[in-house]
Amino acid sequence: MDIELRRSLFYSYLIGLPIGLGWIAAAIFAPLLLGEGLFTMVVLVSFGKAIIGLSIAFLISLWIGALIAKNSIKKGERLIVTSFKYSAIINLIIWTVFGLIMSLQPEGEWMWGKIAIVAFVICTVLTAISIGLLISHKIRIAITK
């Protein structure tokens, strides 16, 4: 593994992992903080497998995103383009896994695929102009030293 990929992976996981897992935890436990423990249980029972799948896919997608960000920066692409590529691949992977797992549940419907598509679009745009931009910037600084 080359030094540029290692640096790219470092920032992808250092910044992306705690923030991404923090959002997943917040989505699960926010009702508990608001005094609705029953709703948290419903979320865990209803979405437990999909949340586990999404979390595992997130770990893998950070690696793929780091590779794509490194290659984009090496091609000399603009930082915002790199950020959108990075954010899009990560969100595509995690929301595809989430939507598929939810659709395959016994009570699952293809409605979850539609929800995953909406979540993909919203999350890609929001992360590309925020955390994805920060990560891409850090990667660019690290590999152009």
Side-chain angles (χ1 to χ4, degrees):
M1 179 182 329
D2 64 50
I3 187 73
E4 293 170 340
L5 179 57
R6 278 189 278 166
R7 289 177 179 168
S8 183
L9 288 167
F10 175 76
Y11 284 109
S12 184
Y13 281 100
L14 178 71
I15 300 169
L17 186 63
I19 292 174
L21 292 180
W23 277 105
I24 293 169
I28 295 169
F29 297 110
L32 187 62
L33 295 174
L34 299 173
E36 287 294 328
L38 184 60
F39 189 69
T40 297
M41 284 184 12
V42 170
V43 168
L44 288 173
V45 170
S46 300
F47 301 104
K49 291 177 187 174
I51 291 170
I52 291 169
L54 183 141
S55 299
I56 292 168
F58 180 62
L59 295 173
I60 295 166
S61 69
L62 285 173
W63 182 288
I64 297 167
L67 179 62
I68 287 173
K70 180 200 89 143
N71 291 338
S72 180
I73 290 167
K74 293 302 286 181
K75 289 179 189 174
E77 294 178 340
R78 294 178 56 214
L79 194 59
I80 194 72
V81 172
T82 300
S83 178
F84 267 98
K85 285 182 175 182
Y86 177 84
S87 299
I89 193 65
I90 289 172
N91 281 293
L92 178 66
I93 293 168
I94 65 173
W95 290 114
T96 299
V97 168
F98 181 85
L100 286 174
I101 291 172
M102 287 305 297
S103 296
L104 296 174
Q105 297 296 319
E107 67 282 351
E109 299 175 12
W110 282 103
M111 162 189 83
W112 291 107
K114 294 174 187 171
I115 291 171
I117 290 169
V118 171
F120 162 74
V121 172
I122 292 170
C123 291
T124 297
V125 171
L126 292 177
T127 57
I129 60 173
S130 59
I131 193 67
L133 198 56
L134 173 64
I135 293 169
S136 297
H137 175 68
K138 290 292 194 180
I139 291 171
R140 182 174 70 179
I141 290 171
I143 67 175
T144 58
K145 282 185 176 181

